[in-house]
Amino acid sequence: MDIFYLKEENLFNFLKTLESEYEVFVPQKSEGKLRLCPFGFEVSHTEYILKEISSVDKENFSYNPYRTIEPLKSFFISTREPITEYFESAFEREQKPRVIFGMKNCDLFSLKIQDFVFLEGVVKDPFYERRRHQNILISSDCFLFKEVCFCTALGIMPYAQEGFDLNFSEVTSGYIVEVGSEKGAKVIQNNYRYFNPATPVQIASCNKKREKFVSNLNQHLILHDLVPKEIIPQIVKEGFNSGVWQELVLNCVECGGCNFICDTCHCFLLSDERFGKINEKIRSWDACLYANFAKVAGGANPLRYRYQRLRNRYLKKFDFFVENLGLLACCGCGRCIEVCPAKIDIREVLKKLAQQYKTQKI
Amino acid sequence: MRLDPYQPIPSRVIDIIEETPTIKTFVLKPQEQVAFSTGQFVELTLPGEGEAPFTPSSDPHIKEELEVTIMKAGRVTSALHSIPKDTTLGIRGPYGKGYPLEEFKNKDILIVGGGVGLAPLRSLIYALLAHPQDYKNIIIRYGARTPQDLLYKKQLSEWAKIKNINLMLTVDTADSNWKGNVGVVTTILKDLPLDLTNAVAVVCGPPIMMKFTTLKLLDLGFRPESIYLSMEKNMSCGLGKCGHCRLGRFYVCKDGPVFKYEEIKEIEDIWE
Ligand code: SF4
Ligand code: SF4
Ligand code: FES
């Protein structure tokens, strides 16, 4: 599809224009220090939080160099929302269409998992389908990484290749804008005054920047000596009875943070509430690290112990989704590593499993 | 399938039958037909309170009404036990895959139930009895904790009279009137009048009973692909989306609730 160029000073105004039709979400910067990671790389601890553009001034708005705090899924399945009323219903499931700016390729990858869950199978989820249909996803290339980023180790590039409506790549004093869908093309068409066709020189410089960044990130990841993605399903499955789960879960406080912040976790719980004469079914995000996640009415609980629940999370990602969709349900965004108060680090969990697997095989 | 998969169909409770001190059967008349095949389950909503999955215990050929047999166990089931007749409940479903009757044709069918696990099996027995010529012997082995915990006493004695049905009961603890077998259900799984080379076994009951029954059946010479198990898991959506009911690479709500032992025997901890 077509490739355009947008001048840096026009970015905010362009996004502002979309406000007439959409709720526009853009990253707001929350300044943090530059720190050295254990391997001597300078990594930024600045965070980017998605806010509605109406509440963000031009000065606070920021083109984010890496992913935002919140996972992309939160724009399609809300943390808690009524999903139906019964038995009389005047239920409107309208939501204003949204533009989400600043998604990264790790987020876009994870949307494949969410799409599989909510659009395939027995039925489509009507909420998800509508939002997926009407929302505009504007992704952008990463040009910095967080200490916890490991997308490329899972074969995911830090720039979007598919699944976006528009994609932005930073080049000198502006952005290369790639069109990824009909929806995206329409947005450009309606705002054509901001855009110029990109020149071959601009495109070449964008490609160079991408290459350079990937090699940068890979250099960092080599030092981490991560488990190769090809063996992950095997070590998780074979590690079912490993003591690693018990050992690493010790400090888990069952906050569910790893589940909620995860780009690919999708579990939810339905509950019922009464408001006068109207009853509602409410859908809330759920977490398999919670004690009662798998408890049945009779009291039996196949995930009674914390280590079983930690293991469940890995089996879901690296066994269930591999078997059913052919994808590892992890995008390497590292959100669960940052959020965990117990410092349970998915990179380390996998490494320990791999070590044990190797010693067992010898 | 309805447009809104989360919207329950209003269903009036037209009768409540007390089966045992802790188990009741609710006869429901849904506003729209809920055409289930035997072994499928529905999500039953107590308005404003909560929802829980149940496999109907009634004859799948009866379209206007359906029955669910419910043991008082958790929050929702206890609340359901206190509702009066004429309450309107909600039904979503039917969901999942039921019993593959096609695979049972021209075979001896061993049906093993434990406690409230006889509920889905009653529906199966009704379905089988609708076409008795399609099946060979139907062997029913049912156990409960005490004689007063036995479900469907009237049907049991009627079934016992049917020619190609062979029925035996057992209780864990007898009372003074009990003349039958005492012991867990595996103690009556011997000298079965069936042809092992041409038989299937269908098992439903508490996890521990399913485990020991399966082991016993394997011992007797049943092949893993001839043993059909009803797996119980925590369920919420019934649609294969909420993630609660995972069993290995399956979701019990959409790939089950009935599985051949062959399909799940490699999965760790299935009896937990
Ligand atoms: S994981 Fe990769 S794609 Fe995601 S923010 Fe980090 S560098 Fe970017
Ligand atoms: S984030 Fe860490 S402490 Fe919280 S539930 Fe997950 S593993 Fe446990
Ligand atoms: S009950 Fe929701 S996925 Fe099975």
Side-chain angles (χ1 to χ4, degrees):
Chain A
M1 283 214 190
D2 296 336
I3 305 184
F4 297 91
Y5 177 78
L6 176 82
K7 278 201 198 130
E8 194 179 349
E9 67 256 33
N10 283 334
L11 177 60
F12 191 75
N13 295 340
F14 159 63
L15 292 169
K16 222 35 199 168
T17 324
L18 300 177
E19 243 191 322
S20 60
E21 262 185 86
Y22 299 93
E23 279 174 8
V24 182
F25 286 81
V26 298
Q28 193 183 36
K29 194 170 178 171
S30 156
E31 199 77 53
K33 291 202 179 69
L34 272 180
R35 278 190 234 145
L36 290 184
C37 83
F39 297 112
F41 278 73
E42 222 177 38
V43 283
S44 157
H45 284 69
T46 298
E47 299 292 357
Y48 297 85
I49 302 146
L50 287 165
K51 289 266 164 73
E52 260 199 84
I53 200 165
S54 51
S55 67
V56 178
D57 300 330
K58 200 165 177 173
E59 298 73 60
N60 297 331
F61 163 74
S62 176
Y63 178 93
N64 52 323
Y66 42 72
R67 61 163 175 78
T68 56
I69 296 227
E70 49 277 83
L72 180 53
K73 68 178 179 189
S74 52
F75 288 88
F76 297 97
I77 299 287
S78 305
T79 48
R80 187 175 195 280
E81 65 184 332
I83 49 168
T84 201
E85 282 177 0
Y86 58 93
F87 291 107
E88 304 290 311
S89 174
F91 196 68
E92 279 290 327
R93 57 166 61 93
E94 289 303 332
Q95 187 188 62
K96 207 172 166 195
R98 291 169 164 181
V99 170
I100 306 131
F101 177 82
M103 305 329 300
K104 300 299 183 184
N105 200 35
C106 49
D107 296 314
L108 293 180
F109 169 85
S110 299
L111 217 48
K112 288 191 201 175
I113 308 287
Q114 302 290 348
D115 282 355
F116 175 73
V117 173
F118 291 104
L119 298 179
E120 307 282 323
V122 184
V123 280
K124 292 182 178 180
D125 183 274
F127 289 80
Y128 187 89
E129 190 184 17
R130 169 159 325 190
R131 290 169 190 167
R132 199 69 178 85
H133 184 72
Q134 69 184 16
N135 289 352
I136 306 275
L137 293 178
I138 308 185
S139 54
S140 56
D141 296 5
C142 290
F143 60 88
L144 292 174
F145 54 84
K146 306 197 88 175
E147 195 277 322
V148 295
C149 289
F150 62 106
C151 53
T152 53
L154 297 170
I156 297 161
M157 286 295 144
Y159 51 83
Q161 292 157 302
E162 56 175 358
F164 56 86
D165 294 308
L166 294 176
N167 183 68
F168 280 56
S169 318
E170 212 190 31
V171 289
T172 323
S173 41
Y175 308 96
I176 296 289
V177 183
E178 222 177 307
V179 178
S181 72
E182 289 293 322
K183 273 194 284 181
K186 262 231 175 84
V187 172
I188 300 267
Q189 225 174 58
N190 294 341
N191 298 280
Y192 202 72
R193 62 188 182 284
Y194 291 117
F195 297 91
N196 294 313
T199 65
V201 176
Q202 286 168 331
I203 294 172
S205 111
C206 160
N207 289 338
K208 228 201 212 120
K209 229 181 141 177
R210 283 179 169 182
E211 265 168 47
K212 181 144 176 272
F213 177 66
V214 171
S215 101
N216 241 346
L217 175 55
N218 283 342
Q219 270 172 38
H220 179 245
L221 293 180
I222 281 171
L223 298 169
H224 270 277
D225 191 22
L226 299 175
V227 174
K229 81 172 210 289
E230 291 72 24
I231 70 161
I232 295 176
Q234 201 175 349
I235 58 164
V236 170
K237 231 180 149 173
E238 303 269 329
F240 190 88
N241 291 313
S242 146
V244 167
W245 308 110
Q246 266 125 317
E247 180 194 329
L248 292 179
V249 85
L250 275 180
N251 293 325
C252 171
V253 296
E254 304 174 56
C255 64
C258 49
N259 292 123
F260 295 137
I261 206 75
C262 176
D263 240 344
T264 70
C265 278
H266 64 86
C267 291
F268 63 81
L269 185 71
L270 299 178
S271 57
D272 294 83
E273 269 173 38
R274 187 180 299 118
F275 298 96
K277 282 197 177 128
I278 296 291
N279 301 291
E280 278 187 356
K281 280 204 190 292
I282 317 267
R283 168 166 62 197
S284 324
W285 288 4
D286 203 356
C288 66
L289 269 293
Y290 282 172
N292 289 343
F293 182 79
K295 193 171 165 193
V296 299
N301 185 354
L303 302 178
R304 192 165 25 251
Y305 301 107
R306 282 180 309 167
Y307 82 87
Q308 295 174 319
R309 301 198 287 278
L310 180 69
R311 182 175 66 194
N312 180 70
R313 185 157 186 267
Y314 285 72
L315 284 168
K316 182 73 185 282
K317 294 197 179 318
F318 302 121
D319 180 36
F320 179 89
F321 277 110
V322 173
E323 291 275 354
N324 285 288
L325 178 62
L327 292 175
L328 300 177
C330 175
C331 66
C333 71
R335 285 182 174 96
C336 59
I337 306 171
E338 285 182 334
V339 83
C340 181
K343 299 210 169 6
I344 298 172
D345 182 330
I346 187 165
R347 297 169 298 185
E348 297 307 314
V349 175
L350 293 174
K351 257 197 254 183
K352 285 224 161 159
L353 287 171
Q355 273 159 16
Q356 213 178 55
Y357 182 72
K358 265 186 223 146
T359 48
Q360 268 166 12
K361 292 281 145 174
I362 290 166
Chain B
M1 183 78 61
R2 305 190 103 205
L3 224 58
D4 179 347
Y6 300 109
Q7 172 77 228
I9 300 166
S11 310
R12 200 163 57 88
V13 177
I14 56 176
D15 200 7
I16 299 174
I17 304 155
E18 291 213 25
E19 306 279 4
T20 79
T22 56
I23 299 174
K24 288 182 180 177
T25 293
F26 298 78
V27 185
L28 297 159
K29 199 171 172 59
Q31 225 168 65
E32 293 164 33
Q33 269 190 22
V34 178
F36 68 96
S37 49
T38 180
Q40 283 191 301
F41 71 96
V42 297
E43 284 281 353
L44 194 64
T45 300
L46 179 55
E49 293 290 337
E51 204 175 30
F54 302 99
T55 299
S57 54
S58 53
D59 187 340
H61 298 94
I62 300 171
K63 300 282 176 223
E64 307 303 322
E65 292 168 15
L66 87 172
E67 295 176 24
V68 285
T69 301
I70 300 176
M71 182 165 73
K72 202 169 170 173
R75 185 181 62 85
V76 178
T77 50
S78 301
L80 280 167
H81 265 247
S82 66
I83 61 163
K85 234 161 93 167
D86 281 329
T87 307
T88 299
L89 301 177
I91 291 182
R92 293 192 298 123
Y95 296 133
K97 301 200 176 85
Y99 292 110
L101 295 181
E102 275 303 308
E103 296 175 17
F104 297 175
K105 281 213 169 131
N106 301 316
K107 291 190 176 154
D108 288 327
I109 302 166
L110 169 64
I111 294 172
V112 191
V116 75
L118 188 63
L121 297 173
R122 182 175 75 163
S123 167
L124 171 65
I125 294 165
Y126 284 140
L128 298 176
L129 291 179
H131 305 278
Q133 69 288 351
D134 285 357
Y135 314 97
K136 297 225 154 93
N137 285 328
I138 299 172
I139 302 114
I140 302 170
R141 294 290 178 269
Y142 175 46
R145 224 168 316 168
T146 71
Q148 61 160 354
D149 290 314
L150 288 166
L151 281 182
Y152 314 135
K153 293 191 186 71
K154 213 175 106 229
Q155 277 97 350
L156 288 172
S157 58
E158 277 166 19
W159 292 335
K161 289 179 214 146
I162 297 176
K163 206 173 97 257
N164 70 333
I165 288 187
N166 174 298
L167 182 139
M168 228 176 134
L169 306 175
T170 185
V171 295
D172 297 349
T173 319
D175 59 18
S176 50
N177 294 326
W178 181 252
K179 302 203 173 52
N181 188 78
V182 179
V184 293
V185 80
T186 44
T187 61
I188 50 171
L189 292 179
K190 53 187 172 204
D191 309 322
L192 300 167
L194 51 76
D195 170 9
L196 258 180
T197 61
N198 188 38
V200 295
V202 185
V203 190
C204 186
I208 186 85
M209 168 267 177
M210 299 241 288
K211 175 177 177 178
F212 287 107
T213 302
T214 304
L215 295 177
K216 177 83 185 182
L217 293 173
L218 292 169
D219 233 30
L220 289 174
F222 273 90
R223 280 168 295 132
E225 59 270 30
S226 308
I227 303 173
Y228 295 80
L229 303 169
S230 293
M231 301 307 288
E232 191 197 13
K233 283 272 169 190
N234 175 312
M235 294 206 217
S236 183
C237 71
L239 302 165
K241 312 235 175 269
C242 76
H244 280 91
C245 65
R246 189 180 70 83
L247 180 69
R249 66 189 159 93
F250 300 114
Y251 280 144
V252 170
C253 71
K254 115 181 186 310
D255 305 307
V258 179
F259 291 93
K260 286 184 202 167
Y261 180 59
E262 173 67 23
E263 297 174 280
I264 56 173
K265 67 180 202 290
E266 303 297 332
I267 302 171
E268 310 261 4
D269 290 354
I270 55 168
W271 308 116
E272 288 272 317

